Amino acid sequence: MDSNKKYWKGLEELKQTPAFVEKSKGEFAESIPVEDVLNEAGLSTKTPRRDFLKALGFGVGAVTLAACNSTPVHKAVPYLIKPEEITPGIPNFYTSTFNGQSILVRTREGRPINVEANPNAIGLNQGTDSGTAASVLDLYDESKLKTAQIKGQDVEWSKLDSTVIAALNAAATAGKQITIVASTVNSPTTLAAIAKLTAKYPTTNLVQVDAVSYSAIIEANKNSFGKAVVPSYNFEKANVVVSVAADFLGTWLAGEEHTQQYIKNRDYKSLKNGKMSRHIQFESGLSMTGSNADVRIAIKPSEEAAVLISLYNAITGSSLAGGIAAKRAQTAVTLAAKELLANKGAAVVVAGSNDINIQTLANAINSALASYGSTIDLDNFSKQHQGSDVVFSQFLTNANAGQVGVALFLNSNPVYDYFKAEDVKAALKKVDFTLSFSQRADETASELTAIAPTNTFLESWGDASPKEGLFSIVQPTINPVFNTRQADQSLLVWAGDTTDIYSFVKNLWTSTILAGSTKNWNSVLQTGFEYKGAKTAASYSFAGNVEAAASAAIAAAKTVVGEFELKLYESSALRDGRYANNAYLQEVPDPVSKVTWDNYAAINPKDAEKLGLGEDATVTVEANGYKVELPVVQQPGQALGTVSVAIGYGRTKVGKAGNNVGKNAYPFASLVNGTIQFVAKATIAKANTIYQLAQTQTHHTIEGRNIIRETTFAKYLKDPNSESGRFTDKHKTYDLWNKYEQPGHKWVMAIDLNACTGCGSCIVACNVENNIPVVGRDEVRRRREMHWLRIDRYYTIEEDGKEYTKEADIEKLNSFENVTVVHQPMLCQHCAHAPCETVCPVLATVHSSEGLNHMAYNRCFGTRYCANNCPYKVRRFNWFNYWNDSRFDNYLNNEFTQLVLNPDVTTRSRGVMEKCSMCIQRIQAGKLHAKMENRKVKDGDIQMACQQACSANAIIFGDANDPESEVSKALRNERVYYVLEEINVQPGIGYMTKVRNTFEA
C-alpha cells in the first residue's frame, strides 16, 4: 500500500532545483576526469588504440594503481620472546572506561583497534555514542605532544618537576592560591591525588567548569529540594515525556543512556505488548530528539519559559502570568498537560536551558506530577556534570587580583570555550606560574608557562564514578606511545608522593571502594566496575518560589527577543570541541542537517527567502558584540525568526583534521545571573560570499520511490499490519532465478525504524571496524564519501492538521516549521536476487551459500556497473588510495596512525568497489570460536559493528534458519516490510514500520 505522504530528503529534492535534477541524472555528481586519470597512468586519449584498449581492459583503476611508484612495503617484525597473553591473530579484550561508560577495548598484537560497550556493565551496557566509537583513533594522533614543555621548548620531566615544585613552594610561601581548573572530575583516583597535593599545599583548590554548563540544574535543585545535584532520569518509567529544548537523546546529559531507557517503551517488543510512550517536544532548532518526537512544536528560545508557565498552570490550576500565546503551542500544552496528569508518577518534564529560573519551573511541574522518586532520581544522582559557572568566574576575579600563584588546567581549555577568551588570557597573565595537562599545545596550553602532557585513557590507570554508587575502572591497553605522563602521577610527584600510579589506584580501590565487596582487585579488572547498589529513590517536596522564578524567567526572555533569536547547541559528534581533531567524527553527517566538516547557521526556509538567500549562501551573524560569517542551511523544522549554530568548531590549535574547520560560536554566549546562557538576540545579514557545504542528504536519491512506511499507534493497535504496505500481500511474484537450499546459516538483519534515533554512532563504528577511509570536505562535496552505512533522513510536513502531499501545496505554506522526520539506516541489502551480481563481468561480487553478497576486491577492476545497477545506491567507488595519498592528509596517511587499522579487514585499493560486507570477519570469528568449543553458533555470538554500537538496539542481526533467534522473531513482526520489495531483488534486511503516538490517536 503506497503512502500518500510526500517524503523528501532536502529542499533541493522537494523543489527539484535545476542543479539537483542535473546531478541526479548521472551515477556521479560530476563528469569522470578520464584525461587526468589516464595522464596519471602514463597514457592519454592520444595513446595508440591497442595500448589504450589494453589499459581499459585491465581497468582504469588498476592501471592507476599499477602506475604508482612502488608497492607499499609492510615491515613484519617477529617477536623475540612472544608475550604470554598475545596470540597472533587472536584479539585481546580489556575493560576500561571512557566518559564514565564502562567499555571493552579490543587489541590486536598489542594495538588497541576498537572500543565497544561493556555488555555486563551497570547503566549503559548497550551501544556507544559516536565519540566513544571513534576514541581509539586519538591514540594514534601524531599532533599530540611527545614530551613535557616549558615555554614551548621540550624538556626532561625532571626539569619540569623541579620547575613546578619551585612554583608551588613560592605560591605557598606567599599565601597565594594554587588552583586546579578542570572539567568535571568524578574520578576517585584524581580526587585522591588532588587531596595529596592539597595536604602538602593547603591553599590548593579545585575549580570545576564545563564548556557546556549544567550548573543551573544543580542550583535549581539546591533551591527547590536542598540537593545540589544533577539527577538521574529514568525515561523507561515514563509513559509521557515532555521536553522543552532538551536534546535528551543526543547531547543533553547522558544521551546514550537516555536512549537505551527511552526506546524500551517504543521498540518492537514494547509495541507487541500494546505499550508505547508519548513524547512531546518544544524547541527552536530541529534536534535529534525533536526529530524522534511524536509531536513537535517549533518555538523561539524566548518562549521556553512561557511554555513551562502554561504547562504549570494547566497542571496545577494556577494562573501565573506569562504563558505561551501561540495558538498551536497553546493547544499542544493543553493536550500535554492532560496526558501528564493522567500519568502521574509515570511522567517527566525536562528543560534544556541553563537558566536557574527555567529549571525551577521544570522542578515545580515535576513535583506536581509526583516524578521524584520515580522518573527523576535525586538520590542516585549523576556525577558527570559538576561544573560551576560562578566558581570559575570567581577564579578569574581572584587571578586578576593577583591572588593566584599557580594555575593548573586539567581537561580544560577556556581560552577556546569560554565566551570571553580575552578575559581568560588577561587573568592568566596575572598568575605567576601556569601549566596545562593537555595532550597538545591547544588554545589554552599554548598561552601557559608549561605543558605536562597526560596519557590517553588507553594508556592510563584510573577510574570514574559517573553515578552515585557506581565505580568504573580505567586500565591501560598499551604502554604510553610518547614520553607522556598521566596527570594523576604528576600530581603525586609534585605532592612528594613516590607511589607509582598503578599501586596508587590499586591501593585506593582495595582499601576503600572494594571494602566489604565480594570482588577483589583482579576480578574488578575483569568485570570493569563495582556497583554498590541503588539507594531507594525518595520523593521530594518542592520548596522553591515558583512565582518569582516565573517572573524572572519572563524578564530574561524579553532580553533575547528581536528580529532573530540565536540558539547555540552541541554537535552530536564534536560535542564541545574536544573531539575536533578526530577525522572520523568530522566526516560523520550531522543527524539532522547531514552536513560534515563544518558548522553553519540553520534558519527556516521562509526566513532565507525573506533575506534573499540562494543556494550556497552565507550570512553574517552578530550577537553579544561578536560577529562571524557562516554558511547557511535552510533547515525545515527551524522556528521562524530563529537561527541555530553549533559550538565545538573553529578550533585553531588542535591538529591537522580540526584546525580552522568551521567558526567558533562560544563568543555568542553570555553570563546571566551566574550561569552561561546559549541564547541571544541576533542580527542576520546576507553576505556576499558563496560557500558550498559538504552535505550528504541528497547524494543518494531514490527518485521518489516509496520506501518509507509510517503509521500511528492508534492504527497499529487496531491493525498491527497497518501501513506496512508489503508488496507480496497483494501481488504474485515470479522468479527467473533458480532456488537453492541454505541448510547451514542464513544471515539476515532487521531494523526497527521506531528505535533508530539517527545518531550516527553505527556509521562511526562501521568505519573503525572495516577500515573505511576519511575522504575530506572536498571529496564529500563531490559525493564521494565512503561510508558503507548511511542514515537517510526523510522529511514530511503537516500544517493545521493537514498532510501536504504535493510540492506546489508545500510551497504555499506559511512556514516549514511543522515537519516530521523518519530516520532510515541504509546499507547493502544482501539481496538474494542481487542486481549487482548479474552485471559484474569478472564475478567480483557473488552470493554466498549463507545469504551474503560478497566482494572479492582483487577481482574488481572498477567498471562501476554494480553501483549503477544497485537500486539502493549503497556501493562506493575508491577514487583514490585515501590512506596513502597526501591530498587526503587528515593525519591518517602515515604509518603510525595506520596502526588503528583492523588487520582482519583488507584495506581496499584505488579503483575498486566496496560496500557493507555484513562484517564477514566477525561472522567467521564467531563460527571459529564455536568450532573451537565444539558447539554450534548460538544466537548473539556474532554481532555486527553497527549493531553493537546502537544504544537503541534498532539493528538486529542473526541466523534466519534459527527460528528462535532474535532476528527471526523480529522479522515475523507484523510491521516488517522490505524496501523496494516490488522489484523482486529479495533483500535480506527487513524494516519495521515507523509508529508515532500522536495526539490525533
Side-chain angles (χ1 to χ4, degrees), residues 47-59:
T47 299
R49 183 173 179 273
R50 180 187 297 271
D51 293 340
F52 185 74
L53 291 178
K54 186 189 299 183
L56 289 183
F58 186 54

Side-chain angles (χ1 to χ4, degrees), residues 583-597:
Y584 280 137
L585 297 177
Q586 288 282 5
E587 195 147 300
V588 66
D590 180 86
V592 174
S593 70
K594 300 303 176 185
V595 171
T596 67
W597 290 101

Side-chain angles (χ1 to χ4, degrees), residues 186-252:
N186 58 31
S187 162
T189 293
T190 302
L191 291 172
I194 292 173
K196 290 278 187 180
L197 190 71
T198 305
K200 183 168 185 180
Y201 303 103
T203 59
T204 301
N205 65 314
L206 173 63
V207 171
Q208 297 183 81
V209 58
D210 297 320
V212 178
S213 172
Y214 293 92
S215 58
I217 294 178
I218 297 172
E219 290 301 315
N221 284 330
K222 179 182 177 182
N223 297 338
S224 301
F225 310 110
K227 297 275 289 188
V229 297
V230 173
S232 294
Y233 293 88
N234 302 315
F235 287 95
E236 76 276 13
K237 296 180 180 180
N239 296 331
V240 182
V241 178
V242 175
S243 169
V244 182
D247 186 15
F248 63 84
L249 298 179
T251 59
W252 189 75

Side-chain angles (χ1 to χ4, degrees), residues 440-680:
R440 65 189 78 243
D442 61 26
E443 292 85 350
T444 299
S446 59
E447 297 282 332
L448 308 183
T449 310
I451 307 176
T454 188
N455 301 341
T456 67
F457 77 99
L458 294 168
E459 307 162 296
S460 301
W461 284 103
D463 47 30
S465 180
K467 186 178 290 188
E468 178 70 2
L470 176 61
F471 301 88
S472 185
I473 199 74
V474 175
Q475 62 176 316
T477 58
I478 191 172
N479 284 328
V481 175
F482 302 127
N483 186 25
T484 57
R485 187 173 70 187
Q486 195 171 332
D488 301 329
Q489 183 74 76
S490 294
L491 292 172
L492 291 175
V493 169
W494 302 337
D497 192 322
T498 58
T499 308
D500 65 272
I501 191 61
Y502 166 76
S503 300
F504 190 76
V505 174
K506 181 180 178 181
N507 294 341
L508 177 68
W509 273 69
T510 53
S511 63
T512 57
I513 298 173
L514 295 178
S517 173
T518 57
K519 291 183 180 179
N520 58 30
W521 173 246
N522 287 332
S523 62
V524 164
L525 295 182
Q526 292 178 330
T527 60
F529 67 95
E530 167 67 6
Y531 185 48
K532 298 295 186 181
K535 299 177 182 177
T536 301
S539 59
Y540 287 82
S541 299
F542 179 76
N545 188 332
V546 68
E547 291 82 5
S551 177
I554 291 300
K558 291 177 180 177
T559 65
V560 302
V561 175
E563 183 181 1
F564 280 93
E565 296 180 19
L566 170 67
K567 184 66 176 282
L568 304 180
Y569 67 96
E570 263 190 294
S571 156
S572 63
L574 300 193
R575 303 300 294 255
D576 58 16
R578 74 187 76 170
Y579 305 138
N581 203 49
N582 192 303
Y584 280 137
L585 297 177
Q586 288 282 5
E587 195 147 300
V588 66
D590 180 86
V592 174
S593 70
K594 300 303 176 185
V595 171
T596 67
W597 290 101
D598 263 306
N599 61 344
Y600 46 85
I603 62 176
N604 187 285
K606 292 297 181 181
D607 283 331
E609 186 179 309
K610 290 178 183 177
L611 291 168
L613 302 175
E615 196 172 350
D616 300 333
T618 60
V619 293
T620 299
V621 181
E622 184 173 5
N624 287 331
Y626 178 64
K627 182 189 294 187
V628 72
E629 189 174 302
L630 289 163
V632 169
V633 166
Q634 297 186 33
Q635 180 61 61
Q638 187 78 26
L640 285 168
T642 68
V643 56
S644 297
V645 180
I647 58 172
Y649 292 83
R651 297 291 303 271
T652 57
K653 296 181 179 180
V654 67
K656 287 181 180 179
N659 281 345
N660 303 310
V661 174
K663 301 295 176 61
N664 188 1
Y666 279 109
F668 284 131
S670 59
L671 185 67
V672 180
N673 297 326
T675 57
I676 300 292
Q677 300 296 304
F678 276 3
V679 297

Side-chain angles (χ1 to χ4, degrees), residues 15 111 285 420-421 605 614 756 935:
K15 297 178 180 180
R111 296 181 292 119
K420 285 190 175 181
C756 176
R935 61 173 176 82

